[in-house]
Amino acid sequence: MDVARRDLILSAAALALSPRAFAADRPNRPLGYAIVGLGYYGQQIIIPQFANCQHSRLAAVVSGDPAKAKRVAAEHGLPARSIYSYANFDTIRDNPDVDIVYVCLPNSLHAEYTIRAAKAGKHVMCEKPMATSVAECEAMIAACKAADRKLMIGYRSHFEPFNLEAMRLARAGEAGKIRYVRSEHGFVQGDPSAWRLKKSLSGGGSLMDMGVYSLQAARYMTGEEPVAVTARESTDRSDPRFTEVEDIIDWTLEFPSGAIASCQSMYSANQNHILLMGDKGRIELEPATRYEGNRMWLGRDGREREVTAPPGPGKTQFAGQLDHLVQCVRTGREPIVSGEEGLRDMRIVEAIYRSAREGRTIRLDGRA
Amino acid sequence: MDVARRDLILSAAALALSPRAFAADRPNRPLGYAIVGLGYYGQQIIIPQFANCQHSRLAAVVSGDPAKAKRVAAEHGLPARSIYSYANFDTIRDNPDVDIVYVCLPNSLHAEYTIRAAKAGKHVMCEKPMATSVAECEAMIAACKAADRKLMIGYRSHFEPFNLEAMRLARAGEAGKIRYVRSEHGFVQGDPSAWRLKKSLSGGGSLMDMGVYSLQAARYMTGEEPVAVTARESTDRSDPRFTEVEDIIDWTLEFPSGAIASCQSMYSANQNHILLMGDKGRIELEPATRYEGNRMWLGRDGREREVTAPPGPGKTQFAGQLDHLVQCVRTGREPIVSGEEGLRDMRIVEAIYRSAREGRTIRLDGRA
C-alpha cells in the first residue's frame, strides 16, 4: 500500500468515525442545522438568521405540522428528504447534510430531543432554558458526552455586542469594585392558552423563560458564581393566565466577592434591563437583551452617557451564536455556553423555586 | 367684669395653655423653628430653606459648638438668647419665639431630643430615620401625645413635586395594575470616621440612612402596607468603613395586592432611583429623591418620555415640609408624615434586619 493510498484510507476511517475530522477536512463548508420546532422562535427568528451566517446553513426542518414544514422547506430550498416529523426524527442520523440539531421546542421537550439528536450522531444547540430540571440537564450532558457530540445552549446574550462590551468593561474595572447587579426581564403574557403557561410544557413560569436572562446577566456581569439565593414569588392565582405557573419571581444572589444581584422575571409587565453598580460608577443596558435595539450607558456620580459597542462576533447575535457552535465542532473547543453552563443555571433555578417555596435563603455552596 | 375684659382674660388663658390657639389668633405670623444640630443637614440644607418658606422662620439654634452656634445665629440675625447648648436645651420651654423644634441630630439622639422638646412644650419635626428602634419611636409618639404636641418626620419626598406626581399617576392607573416597584438609594460613604458608620450614633448602616428612602418609596408608590419582607445583607467587614454597620441591604416587600417591591440601600455605590411597573406601563424617577434635579419618565412598551411635574406645595420640597408642620399646628391636623408613619417604617426596618440575620422571610401581618 503506497503512502497516498494509506492516507486516503485513514482519512476515510477518520471521516466515518469523527465528524470533527470530517469538518476539519473541509473547513469552508458551512455546517448544516436542522431546526426542530417551527414555532415563532424557530421559524421567525432563527431560520432567517442563516442568511447572516458565515459558517452555518439551514439543512432540515422538524415539525409536527407537515403543511407548515413543507412550506418552510420550500421557502428555503430544502429537498423533501430534509423534512422530518417528530415520529421519524431519529432517521435524521442518516442525513449527512445535518451536522447540528437546534432544539427550538417547548422547554419540557428539550431533554428528549437533545438526547435523541445526540444518539443520532448530531451536535446539539438547545434553546434556553436548557431543560426543566437539573436531572434532565445532567442526562443531556451525559448523552452528548457518550456520543462525543457538542452541546451548546442558545444563550444569545454571549454573542450580543452590548452585553459583550458590558462584560469586558466590568472586568476592566470601568465601574470599580462591583457591588451590585440588577436584572429584570419580563413581558406581558396576554394569551392564557400560550404553551408558556402550561407547566407540563414550560416546566415553570416567567423564571423559566425571561428569568434565565436575568440570572445569566447576574452571572456574566459579575463573572462569579453565586453562593446563596433568596427568592420570593408573587402570582395572582385567580388570573386565568396563572393557574399553573408563576407570574413574578424576585430573587437575590450573593457572590463570593460580596456583590449582590437582585433579579426579577415576570409575565405581567414589560422590562428588559441590566444594571451593574460599582464603587466608581455604573454600566447599564436597557433594553438589554432584546433581539435588536439594545442600548448601553456608562455613568459616574449619576451622570450617564450612552455608548456604542464594537461589533460582535457575528453579523447579528443569532449569527454569532449559530456560527460559534460550528467553529467549536470544527476545532474541538467547548462552546462558551456549554451544557455545563445551562446546568449551572438550572441548579440555581431549582434553588430559586425552593427558596420562594420555603421562605428562606438557600445556600448554593454546600455551606449550612 | 365686662365682656371685653372677660374675652381678654380668656384669650390670655388660651394663649398660656395652647400654642394652637395662640397660632390661630395670629394666623399670619410665621412659626419659629429651633434647629437642633448644626451639622451639614441642619446648617447647610435646612436653615437656608427658611428663605423659601411662607409660614416658617428660624427662631433658635441648638449646638454643642458655641462658636458655630454664635456664627450661625449672627448670620441669621438671631439674638443671643436664641442660642442653646445641649446642656441648657430644656430651657427652650421659656422661649416663646420657638414653636417647633427640628431635630437634625445623629439618629441615636432623635428620641431623646424629640421627647425633651415635647416636654418643653414644643412641636417636633424629627429627621429620618425617626429613631433607631421601634421602642424609641413609640416613646416619642407617647411623649408628643402626652404633651399635646405635633410630631412630624422629615420625609421630604412627600413634598417633592416629582414624587407627588408619581404617586398621583400611580393611583390614577397610569401604569395599570401595579405589579412591581423597585427603589435603590445609596452613595459612596468614603470617610471611615463619619458618624453614620458608628453604630452608637446611627443605629445601623445604609438601611437607616438611604434605605429609608427606598422603603418609603415602596410604600408610597404602591399605596399599600407590606405583609412580608425578605432581606439579605452584604458587607465587607474587612473594609475599615464597615466594622460596625452594614454596607448593602437588599430586601423584597410583598403587598396585599400581589405587588412586589425590590429595594436596596448601600454605602458603596451611588444610586437614587424609583421605578414602578404596572401591566400597562411604567413610572420612573431618576434621580428620584435628591435635594434638587429630580427627573421623571413615563413609559409604555419600553418607550419612555420625560415628563415634568406640577409645582409642589412649597417653593422647594424643604419649604413645603417646613410649612406643612406649621399648617398642622395651626389647624390641628395630623401631619401627612406623622410619628406613626415613622413608626411604621421602623417596624419594617427592624424586620428587614431580622430577615437578613435569620435568612428567612418575616411576616409583617401577624400571619405565621
Side-chain angles (χ1 to χ4, degrees), chain A residues 177 179-180 182 184 188 228 230-236 241-242 247-248 250-252 254-255 257-264 266 268-273 275 277-282 284 286 290 300-302 304 355 359-361 363, chain B residues 177 179-180 182-184 188 228 230-236 241-242 247-248 250-252 254 257-264 266 268-273 275 277-282 284 286 290 300-302 304 355 359-361 363:
Chain A
K177 182 174 163 63
R179 300 301 292 139
Y180 171 65
R182 161 171 297 282
E184 297 138 320
V188 178
T230 310
R232 296 304 286 168
E233 181 201 326
S234 179
T235 305
D236 178 358
R241 297 172 297 169
F242 301 121
D247 174 9
I248 302 179
D250 175 282
W251 72 97
T252 302
E254 294 164 65
F255 294 94
S257 70
I260 288 257
S262 176
C263 301
Q264 287 78 27
M266 63 187 67
S268 58
N270 293 319
Q271 47 190 353
N272 193 297
H273 184 227
L275 169 71
M277 306 279 322
D279 61 359
K280 292 202 174 58
R282 59 197 264 177
E284 185 161 23
E286 185 167 29
R290 291 247 165 91
R300 286 178 186 254
D301 299 325
E304 289 203 317
S355 174
R360 65 184 183 89
T361 298
R363 301 291 311 186
Chain B
K177 182 175 162 67
R179 299 301 293 137
Y180 172 63
R182 160 148 72 87
S183 187
E184 298 139 321
V188 178
T230 310
R232 296 303 286 167
E233 181 201 325
S234 179
T235 305
D236 178 358
R241 297 172 297 168
F242 301 122
D247 174 9
I248 302 180
D250 175 283
W251 71 96
T252 302
E254 295 165 64
S257 69
I260 288 255
S262 176
C263 301
Q264 288 77 27
M266 63 187 67
S268 59
N270 293 320
Q271 46 190 354
N272 193 297
H273 185 224
L275 169 70
M277 307 277 324
D279 61 359
K280 291 202 174 61
R282 60 198 263 177
E284 185 162 23
E286 185 168 29
R290 291 248 166 92
R300 285 177 187 255
D301 299 325
E304 289 202 318
S355 174
R360 65 182 183 88
T361 298
R363 300 292 312 186

Side-chain angles (χ1 to χ4, degrees), chain B residues 54 65 68 73 114-115 135 137 173 185 194 219 241 255 257-258 265 269 290 321-322 347 359:
Chain B
Q54 282 190 280
D65 180 338
K68 188 200 277 185
T114 293
I115 293 167
C137 294
H185 282 82
R219 293 178 54 236
R241 297 172 297 168
F255 293 95
S257 69
S265 63
R290 291 248 166 92
Q321 176 195 319
L322 290 163
R347 286 200 177 109

